[in-house]
Amino acid sequence: MAKAIMIQGTMSNAGKSLIAAGLCRIFKQDGYKVAPFKSQNMALNSFITKEGLEMGRAQVMQAEAAGIEPSVMMNPILLKPTNDTGSQVIVNGEVRGNMSARDYFQYKKQLVPDIMNAYQKLAGENDIIVIEGAGSPAEINLKEDDIVNMGMARRAHAPVLLVGDIDRGGVFAQLIGTVMLLEEDEKDMVKGLIINKFRGDKSILDPGVKMIEERSGKPVVGVAPYLDVFLEDEDSLTERFNGNQEVGLIDIAVIRVPRISNFTDFNPFERMPGVSLRYVTNVSELKNPDMIILPGTKNTMEDLMWMRQNGLEAAVMKKAASGTVIFGVCGGYQMLGQRLSDPYGVESEGTIAGMGLLPIETVFTKEKTRTSVSGSFSGIGGLLSSLDGVKLEGYEIHMGETTLMSGARPLNSIRNMNEADSVTKADGAWMNQIYGSYVHGIFDREEITDRIVQALGEKKGVDTGEMTGVDYQTFKESQYEILAAGLRENLDMKRIYQIMRIA
């Protein structure tokens, strides 16, 4: 069986996912076969594997760092919040149903066999498993029947490295307080502490490191710097939403709806010089963008009502009337239609009017569409007509079925990548300067982002010759290497190998 190391955090967004990804890359560089694992993930950013199964994107990112194909075994339980008190529960990549937080808390211990079957299969195929925890192991009210922090470490016999975030302050209280709140056997499982996101002269921190070690009784195995890497975020705690609101030569605004999902779709635009990608939550932030993107959402109807109530829907429709390009992805595509109906109560129940910018109708169904697809833009016109014939790849995750009405034309022609005999089908719709698609990852290819920005620049009279994108996969590879180099330099890797009992 594989050796294991578990990365837990003092709180959410302490940097567990990136530390785990960096260790995956380091172990790969050192010649080991390594895989990531997180028993339970709560996030709206998800991914569809080649088998058509759904998993969290954090473990996809870590699998890429490890140089292996993502597998649902790396994340057997995925919770996708539907509201403030409930989530869609996905087990082994398939929807088990919607549950309230209270119901799931009582139900989760039944999922231990699923978790351990997935873990043991991974452990039988690899040399090292890098396990990621969730939130904090010191959440006293959640410790009963824990399946994701110390409960998982105990089941996997995994030594634990505890990560604290110094950038937000209070790292001494974070690390020492967390250790103090653990049971005695849990304290024994913590073999080292990591101070993460440090900026400045490390020598100034040295007295504090000594104090942490004395008071916690645990060694500090590294002080990781605030690394300037651009990798995919797990959920809505991302710092991207609080980023620069300055407008570039080409300005793209993403409507940050409350239940935004798969916002990683738009990361490729961030890497283009002269292009600003801004997340906006109100009319005053919208300004005058060259393109507005309506993103995916876990609850299309409620998020559309949120836009309707705060004035963003009217503002987007006004921009559309003046010729601004509007592009909807998944739930954002559904919003653009004439009508949304939920006869089975999948999301919100009932029927509401859409934004009326595309002649389409959506009905929410009980079955979720989960496919990995490839194809091309087909018959696309309007301002983005240069995309016609350009190849694309991505995946579908949606509950609704959309019907095109008179006047709408399909945007793409796609097929299921995992079925050799799958038939080609139409996806999405466009009319005038309004475009929509169900395909997540539709902007990942450099040629696609380049042509979109070029078209927006031509309309605006701006030279976009220098605003070229990058091959997104190649770019991510470079970021994994930077991450690994930064951690290798600042973590005591010899000690970490000793903790795992690897010579």
Side-chain angles (χ1 to χ4, degrees):
M1 296 291 284
K3 300 291 186 180
I5 189 76
M6 186 168 192
I7 310 301
Q8 295 188 22
T10 57
M11 58 183 168
S12 296
N13 208 33
K16 299 183 296 291
S17 296
L18 283 185
I19 295 288
L23 288 176
C24 283
R25 177 51 62 103
I26 289 172
F27 295 143
K28 174 183 181 292
Q29 291 171 341
D30 290 350
Y32 293 97
K33 190 175 180 184
V34 57
F37 182 83
K38 186 169 184 175
S39 56
Q40 173 190 287
N41 202 343
M42 177 176 279
L44 289 177
N45 283 350
S46 59
F47 176 82
I48 298 300
T49 67
K50 286 187 175 180
E51 299 78 22
L53 301 174
E54 190 171 2
M55 63 182 289
R57 288 201 70 95
Q59 281 60 63
V60 175
M61 181 262 289
Q62 292 160 0
E64 290 177 345
I68 59 175
E69 188 74 28
S71 164
V72 76
M73 290 184 297
M74 301 169 186
N75 176 213
I77 313 299
L78 175 62
L79 305 178
K80 302 185 76 172
T82 54
N83 53 46
D84 291 342
T85 60
S87 294
Q88 184 181 73
V89 179
I90 297 169
V91 181
N92 294 320
E94 298 186 346
V95 176
R96 186 68 59 93
N98 288 354
M99 295 187 190
S100 69
R102 181 178 295 278
D103 288 343
Y104 178 73
F105 187 76
Q106 296 173 344
Y107 173 77
K108 65 180 182 179
K109 58 188 172 184
Q110 299 180 38
L111 300 175
V112 171
D114 294 285
I115 290 169
M116 294 312 298
N117 286 340
Y119 178 79
Q120 288 164 1
K121 188 165 184 181
L122 279 182
E125 297 172 349
N126 292 277
D127 303 317
I128 298 174
I129 306 295
V130 179
I131 309 172
E132 182 186 345
S136 163
E139 302 290 353
I140 298 172
N141 60 313
L142 300 177
K143 290 182 71 170
E144 184 181 353
D145 299 318
D146 174 61
I147 61 174
V148 68
N149 285 311
M150 286 302 178
M152 186 63 221
R154 191 177 291 109
R155 292 182 178 94
H157 305 289
V160 174
L161 300 180
L162 181 65
V163 180
D165 177 4
I166 195 171
D167 190 56
R168 289 192 285 180
V171 74
F172 301 101
Q174 290 176 41
L175 291 169
I176 297 170
T178 299
V179 172
M180 288 178 64
L181 286 170
L182 298 177
E183 305 296 332
E184 289 304 316
D185 65 323
E186 295 173 337
K187 291 178 184 177
D188 291 341
M189 288 188 277
V190 178
K191 302 301 183 183
L193 310 177
I194 296 174
I195 297 173
N196 195 27
K197 305 183 187 178
F198 179 73
R199 308 176 195 245
D201 184 346
K202 182 181 174 296
S203 65
I204 299 174
L205 185 63
D206 287 343
V209 169
K210 184 178 179 182
M211 184 182 298
I212 288 176
E213 291 182 329
E214 289 174 350
R215 297 204 178 187
S216 69
K218 305 296 178 182
V220 174
V221 298
V223 177
Y226 199 109
L227 293 169
D228 194 20
V229 292
F230 295 89
L231 291 168
E232 294 179 346
D233 303 88
E234 181 177 30
D235 55 30
S236 59
L237 290 177
T238 177
E239 295 176 4
R240 281 183 164 87
F241 293 160
N242 303 316
N244 197 337
Q245 287 289 319
E246 289 186 11
V247 173
L249 288 175
I250 298 297
D251 184 39
I252 300 172
V254 181
I255 305 299
R256 183 191 165 186
V257 292
R259 296 162 188 84
I260 187 171
S261 66
N262 288 71
F263 53 83
T264 50
D265 288 342
F266 320 121
N267 290 3
F269 287 111
E270 291 184 337
R271 311 288 8 111
M272 301 184 73
V275 176
S276 55
L277 182 77
R278 301 181 296 112
Y279 289 87
V280 303
T281 58
N282 56 61
V283 174
S284 64
E285 291 177 344
L286 186 59
K287 301 177 183 176
N288 191 31
D290 302 296
M291 181 166 79
I292 297 173
I293 295 176
L294 300 181
T297 162
K298 191 63 189 71
N299 196 314
T300 304
M301 294 170 72
E302 287 192 12
D303 278 356
L304 177 56
M305 293 304 296
W306 172 84
M307 287 181 61
R308 192 160 287 166
Q309 290 162 4
N310 75 359
L312 270 171
E313 180 191 35
V316 170
M317 293 173 68
K318 185 176 179 180
K319 295 293 184 188
S322 67
T324 301
V325 173
I326 313 294
F327 204 119
V329 178
C330 199
Y333 166 46
Q334 295 169 340
M335 289 182 186
L336 293 172
Q338 304 292 325
R339 187 179 298 107
L340 298 95
S341 301
D342 188 2
Y344 304 106
V346 173
E347 284 194 356
S348 303
E349 204 166 359
T351 298
I352 65 169
M355 297 175 70
L357 296 176
L358 280 176
I360 59 173
E361 291 186 346
T362 298
V363 176
F364 291 95
T365 58
K366 294 180 179 179
E367 297 298 318
K368 179 181 282 192
T369 299
R370 307 185 313 261
T371 54
S372 181
V373 301
S374 64
S376 62
F377 291 92
S378 179
I380 182 173
L383 189 69
L384 303 185
S385 60
S386 62
L387 289 175
D388 196 37
V390 176
K391 296 185 185 219
L392 61 90
E393 286 188 4
Y395 51 96
E396 294 180 276
I397 318 172
H398 56 92
M399 302 294 286
E401 295 294 333
T402 297
T403 303
L404 274 61
M405 302 159 63
S406 175
R409 284 162 284 185
L411 186 74
N412 310 314
S413 178
I414 59 175
R415 59 178 293 274
N416 189 330
M417 292 174 63
N418 307 317
E419 297 179 1
D421 57 349
S422 69
V423 297
T424 299
K425 68 174 185 178
D427 162 70
W430 73 274
M431 188 176 72
N432 301 322
Q433 312 305 341
I434 315 298
Y435 305 87
S437 171
Y438 272 121
V439 179
H440 292 289
I442 194 170
F443 304 120
D444 278 4
R445 293 192 66 228
E446 179 183 359
E447 184 179 3
I448 293 171
T449 52
D450 281 353
R451 292 198 182 200
I452 289 174
V453 169
Q454 183 181 10
L456 297 175
E458 288 176 356
K459 178 188 176 188
K460 197 174 186 178
V462 170
D463 182 6
T464 60
E466 301 298 319
M467 300 182 193
T468 55
V470 296
D471 180 81
Y472 197 44
Q473 293 304 320
T474 302
F475 173 75
K476 286 196 288 185
E477 273 297 302
S478 71
Q479 298 303 292
Y480 295 131
E481 291 293 312
I482 293 170
L483 175 63
L487 293 186
R488 191 187 286 276
E489 182 180 349
N490 293 280
L491 299 184
D492 187 345
M493 288 307 303
K494 181 178 180 181
R495 190 160 196 167
I496 290 173
Y497 273 119
Q498 289 172 344
I499 287 170
M500 293 191 295
R501 299 180 182 175
I502 297 177

